[in-house]
Amino acid sequence: MAIAPGRPVSLWPAAHAADARRPRSLQTKIGASDTVCARRAGYLLHGRTPTDSGEKRKAILGTWLHEGALDAVRNEYGWIIERRVEDDTIRGHIDAVQLDGHTAARLPKRLRPSLPAEEVTVEDVKTKSPFQWDSILRHGASEAEVRQVLLYADLLRTEGFADIGGQRQLARLGPLPVGRVRFRFLNRDSGEDHVQEMPFHAEQARGARWWVEQVRAAETPEDLPRTFPGPGLSAICDNCPFKTACWGPAVAGRRPQSMLIHDDAEREQALAEYVDVSEQIKPLKDRLKVLRARLDGSEEGVYGANELSWSGGNPAKVDDVDAMVALFKQAGLRVPMTLDTAAMKAQLTAAGLPVPVRLDHERRTAVSINVTVRKKP
């Protein structure tokens, strides 16, 4: 009879191993999904070895959700999902393509969508955390995300589907007249979705192509600019596989960005800009304080395009000294003659005992204002 281990086996080692075997993880040719940052794209293009593993669990969860959603639309609507497009300089996998009726009629019936689109549409599915959701609703896709989907659409427009196993019938269609691109954002917490659409214009795609050409023209990755502000200031940099290659090893007590200042002249320039930006921000901060004061006490609810809610204002948690003394006696610990809360808490923690707290209804936590985009009906 098998004996169960003391602790259940974690699924994450298996998930990380499977993620490492994905074709995208082994890709050395620059891909549309690699165009988030110029320097990172340069490291990939030059075949540099990653220096950091990064935190991948959130990304893997997003991949699982992403794959489940795409499988569902393929089975229900007959969308074409996860198909490769490429040319001599770039390649990628399009999340979903919806064919128009004229193009779909050129395929065998088994490959036709159940409901054709009005025009050939390239769709990219993105999963987002709750913390990113309000920004998505207000501002939509980022510049890097738009560049990625434009490259997908332009490859489909100029080359068609790649002529590889599993998509030969699609490749025979040749270049397709892409008319629209679409983002479908999925909230990883609530399951809410948000769709952003835009017409496809070849002129915009040329701008995305130019970006790739600049990366390819660089002699070394270090000749390319950093697109994001660096570790500690950007989640993309925090989880980048080339973080150390780009910013150097971590130095205790110093932020990575400090490496960007080389002499007193650059320090003087940065300090002058710091003062200038502070002066520009101050009136805005003052105005926010006034507006926050005006809204104080307002009922939660929807007002125009925004939804107002409040958090905080709860009884504060404080150390329960009487309960600490009782716990000391119960555990056989010596109660100090002069009650030192910090020392008692440290002793309880060292003994593996919980530190008791109580709610002080005379003291309240700070009240915070929360303003989010009004939810769709």
Side-chain angles (χ1 to χ4, degrees):
M1 181 176 66
I3 299 176
R7 181 180 179 185
V9 174
S10 172
L11 60 79
W12 287 116
H16 282 100
D19 183 71
R21 290 192 296 270
R22 287 178 177 274
R24 290 177 183 172
S25 299
L26 301 175
Q27 185 171 310
T28 55
K29 185 178 181 180
I30 190 170
S33 60
D34 299 324
T35 59
V36 62
C37 169
R39 184 168 291 193
R40 185 166 87 175
Y43 285 128
L44 289 168
L45 189 62
H46 285 80
R48 296 288 183 87
T49 301
T51 54
D52 303 84
S53 58
E55 171 52 62
K56 293 186 176 180
R57 285 179 292 185
K58 290 181 180 179
I60 291 173
L61 284 173
T63 298
W64 291 346
L65 177 60
H66 184 272
E67 290 178 345
L70 290 177
D71 280 342
V73 296
R74 178 188 60 189
N75 294 331
E76 293 298 320
Y77 306 137
W79 290 7
I80 299 168
I81 69 165
E82 284 291 347
R83 298 300 180 179
R84 188 195 291 184
V85 287
E86 64 183 334
D87 63 10
D88 294 336
T89 61
I90 193 167
R91 74 177 179 187
H93 287 79
I94 301 178
D95 283 347
V97 177
Q98 293 175 262
L99 300 178
D100 64 311
H102 176 73
T103 305
R106 297 165 55 196
L107 289 171
K109 288 185 177 180
R110 61 184 176 81
L111 295 178
R112 297 175 190 173
S114 57
L115 182 63
E118 293 182 359
E119 53 190 342
V120 176
T121 302
V122 170
E123 177 164 322
D124 200 42
V125 178
K126 301 288 187 186
T127 62
K128 298 291 181 178
S129 72
F131 304 103
Q132 300 168 303
W133 197 245
D134 190 67
S135 177
I136 288 297
L137 296 181
R138 292 185 186 278
H139 308 298
S142 68
E143 180 181 341
E145 289 167 337
V146 171
R147 178 168 55 244
Q148 178 184 346
V149 79
L150 286 175
L151 289 170
Y152 288 147
D154 200 50
L155 286 169
L156 189 62
R157 180 185 71 89
T158 57
E159 304 292 330
F161 292 100
D163 190 8
I164 59 173
Q167 56 182 58
R168 303 287 187 193
Q169 293 277 6
L170 297 174
R172 293 191 185 107
L173 294 173
L176 299 182
V178 178
R180 182 166 294 273
V181 295
R182 176 188 299 132
F183 290 95
R184 189 178 303 273
F185 298 101
L186 301 176
N187 187 313
R188 289 198 293 263
D189 180 59
S190 66
E192 184 181 355
D193 68 333
H194 174 69
V195 173
Q196 176 187 358
E197 290 188 343
M198 61 188 76
F200 172 75
H201 296 297
E203 298 79 19
Q204 292 176 310
R206 279 196 287 272
R209 292 276 194 171
W210 178 88
W211 190 96
V212 173
E213 290 168 5
Q214 303 312 299
V215 172
R216 296 184 63 84
E219 292 186 5
T220 70
E222 288 73 23
D223 292 332
L224 293 164
R226 300 177 176 93
T227 306
F228 297 92
L233 301 178
S234 164
I236 291 176
C237 293
D238 290 337
N239 297 298
C240 179
F242 300 100
K243 179 175 67 174
T244 301
C246 186
W247 291 95
V251 177
R254 296 188 66 179
R255 297 187 179 185
Q257 293 78 5
S258 62
M259 67 176 287
L260 300 178
I261 290 185
H262 302 94
D263 52 39
D264 284 349
E266 291 183 352
R267 192 167 290 107
E268 177 184 350
Q269 181 180 359
L271 189 59
E273 185 178 357
Y274 182 90
V275 172
D276 183 50
V277 171
S278 298
E279 291 176 349
Q280 294 179 48
I281 290 175
K282 186 179 183 304
L284 296 176
K285 286 185 174 180
D286 292 342
R287 183 58 181 167
L288 275 179
K289 291 178 182 177
V290 172
L291 295 172
R292 168 63 178 83
R294 287 186 185 180
L295 290 166
D296 197 35
S298 297
E299 292 290 332
E300 293 186 339
V302 175
Y303 301 92
N306 299 299
E307 184 172 353
L308 171 67
S309 63
W310 303 96
S311 57
N314 303 310
K317 291 182 179 181
V318 297
D319 297 326
D320 192 336
V321 179
D322 293 338
M324 283 189 200
V325 172
L327 194 56
F328 262 66
K329 292 178 179 178
Q330 181 182 348
L333 300 174
R334 186 179 67 83
V335 179
M337 295 296 294
T338 302
L339 297 181
D340 183 339
T341 304
M344 292 175 71
K345 289 166 63 177
Q347 197 169 350
L348 287 172
T349 301
L353 297 172
V355 177
V357 295
R358 64 180 177 83
L359 295 179
D360 186 347
H361 291 273
E362 299 298 321
R363 296 168 58 187
R364 297 277 171 170
T365 60
V367 177
S368 299
I369 186 171
N370 306 305
V371 183
T372 57
V373 173
R374 178 179 185 171
K375 293 182 179 179
K376 295 182 293 185

